[in-house]
Amino acid sequence: MRQQEIICTVCPMGCHIRVTGSDDQIQSLEGYTCRRGEQYARSEFVCPMRTLTTTVRVENSTEPLLAVRTAGPIPKEKLFDCMGLIRTAVFHAPVALHQILISNLGGTGVDLISCAERKER
Amino acid sequence: MREMKYDVAVIGAGPGGLAAAAAAKKQGAGKVLIIERDTAAGGILQQCIHAGFGLTYFNEELTGPEYAGRFAKRAEEAGAELMTDTMVLKLSEDGSVVCSNPQSGVIRVHAGAVVLAMGCRERTRFNLKIPGTRPAGIYTAGTAQRLINRQNEMVGKKIVILGSGDIGMIMARRMTLEGAQVEAVVEIMSYLAGLTRNKVQCLDDFGIPLLLEHTVTRIVGERRIEGVWIAAVDAHKKPLPETEHFIACDTLLLSVGLLPENELTRAAGIVMSPVTNGPEVNQYMQTSCPAVFACGNVVHVNDLADNVSTESELAGTAAAQYAAGTLPAAEGFAHCLPGRGVRYVCPQHIAVHAGSCPVRLYFRVLSPGGKTNLRAVCGQQILAERTVLRVSPGEMEHLDLDAAELGNQEIRVEAEEAER
């Protein structure tokens, strides 16, 4: 059994939601004020997910770095593993907007995509 | 001096300037020029690589570069011209702008209307007057953000952040993901300056301590910063010496507020608001100089880029109308004033003319609170009213009203917390 207080980030209200349960079995939820908040607290308790945003090096471009993000949220516990993979990667211009740079990043099933285009220098 | 002629000239190619330029073209302005000192369009959003933009404007969550990219594309497709690497030196009352760049030297741009979209810059150590030595390793959060996210320069390994503004918290996460250790985020107020979402996802996620009602009392270090002394503060924000303790660090980031960048505006003699540090504007975002409009963070610091875009489209549309001579002439002005519980209201004036006169008033409350009644009143008459479940000085509020026939009257905006 574990108990967790989750601050909801769905809207600026920031409700404090207390969740009790085992690893993936939720027993009780208290303090949410809307349906979206309830859903957020459930998924946050079972498996918190985050969109990872960072930069990668791009050669042959006018700027040394390119902003990138995961195409969708990935498990929070994988953030540092994924950063390790991204840090060593180098790409070459041209890069298109939303081009897939690393597919299935770190086995998450989610791709790493570019947030801007980079023309060749 | 090279001379150029445009219908509308926009100063700044951030999200404000790009949206204003696209809107001016859409309104029918013939030639629109955007003047930008950086080498590319996008402004500060180019370095804001985190997500959270566009939730209200596009109804989807985008990163800063994606959000800015959409507006850059809009401005380009609308046919606005972009002149980068160009610094504006002077703004004249008649709507002419003197600027310079390496290709053409000094240029005078004659425009039917000018839109100011210079944004803001960060408050620095100088603004806070923090005692101590003057070593290397002290950055504003945004400078560190630019170095790390655009220039590939890591600023340090052991970090203290002063101020719980959004950029500070976002940089706490960014530095942590890049392998640095963030020792603490120190906030003098009893509440968070930025959004709760950022505390959860940038601090709590990584176990970074937030010290409310604390401040940095001294900076220590000769060549490079070696650490800071921090202390709790009393109700008057005065440090309590008995609580003072040392945190070793090689970098101090300051996230202590933003200041609209208005050197050009002041030099042109445009009337400024002492509260927002931006020009006073009417509902068309028109300044005291009729040919000059202003939008975004140069007018008042916004918490959401989405609000900047919406406001800037208004400014761009009105600037195009002014240049074409079709902006309705004011028959009188209603003055918008902060009432109980409100820090400021923008626009400060409403140009009233015949027929309906719909206006959105943006304002900030003075202090955080629970269920609050927001209202705009004119004498005894309630013009607009809304109850919200919570308020925070960090989150801009708004009310929509019709100012028809309110010429030369005062509109007060009030925020009154319902009894707890």
Side-chain angles (χ1 to χ4, degrees), chain B residues 296-311:
Chain B
N297 284 355
V298 82
V299 177
H300 57 150
V301 175
N302 284 259
D303 37 291
L304 297 177
D306 300 56
N307 285 348
V308 169
S309 304
T310 307
E311 181 184 283

Side-chain angles (χ1 to χ4, degrees), chain B residues 176 181-183 200 202-210:
Chain B
T176 306
Q181 172 76 28
V182 179
E183 299 293 324
V200 172
C202 300
L203 306 186
D204 299 354
D205 269 8
F206 302 99
I208 298 168
L210 170 67

Side-chain angles (χ1 to χ4, degrees), chain A residues 7 9 12-13 40 50 52-55 57 63-65 67 69 76 79-80 83 87 98 115, chain B residues 49-51 63 65-66 148-150 152 174 176-178 196-197 200-201 205-206 389-390 395:
Chain A
I7 304 172
T9 60
M13 278 287 289
Y40 172 81
R50 299 286 184 267
L52 176 62
T53 61
T54 182
T55 55
R57 280 180 54 205
E63 294 202 34
L65 296 176
R69 67 172 169 92
K76 188 171 99 176
L79 288 177
F80 282 99
M83 279 298 290
R87 194 172 292 124
H98 293 163
C115 296
Chain B
I49 62 164
H50 53 279
T63 62
E66 289 171 295
I148 294 172
N149 292 347
R150 288 191 67 190
N152 206 16
R174 185 77 189 114
T176 306
L177 286 172
E178 289 292 352
T196 308
R197 177 176 79 193
V200 172
Q201 297 191 349
D205 269 8
F206 302 99
L389 291 173
R390 59 180 287 283
E395 288 161 29

Side-chain angles (χ1 to χ4, degrees), chain B residues 184-197:
Chain B
V185 173
V186 182
E187 168 61 55
I188 196 165
M189 304 301 280
S190 59
Y191 53 87
L192 201 66
L195 305 170
T196 308
R197 177 176 79 193

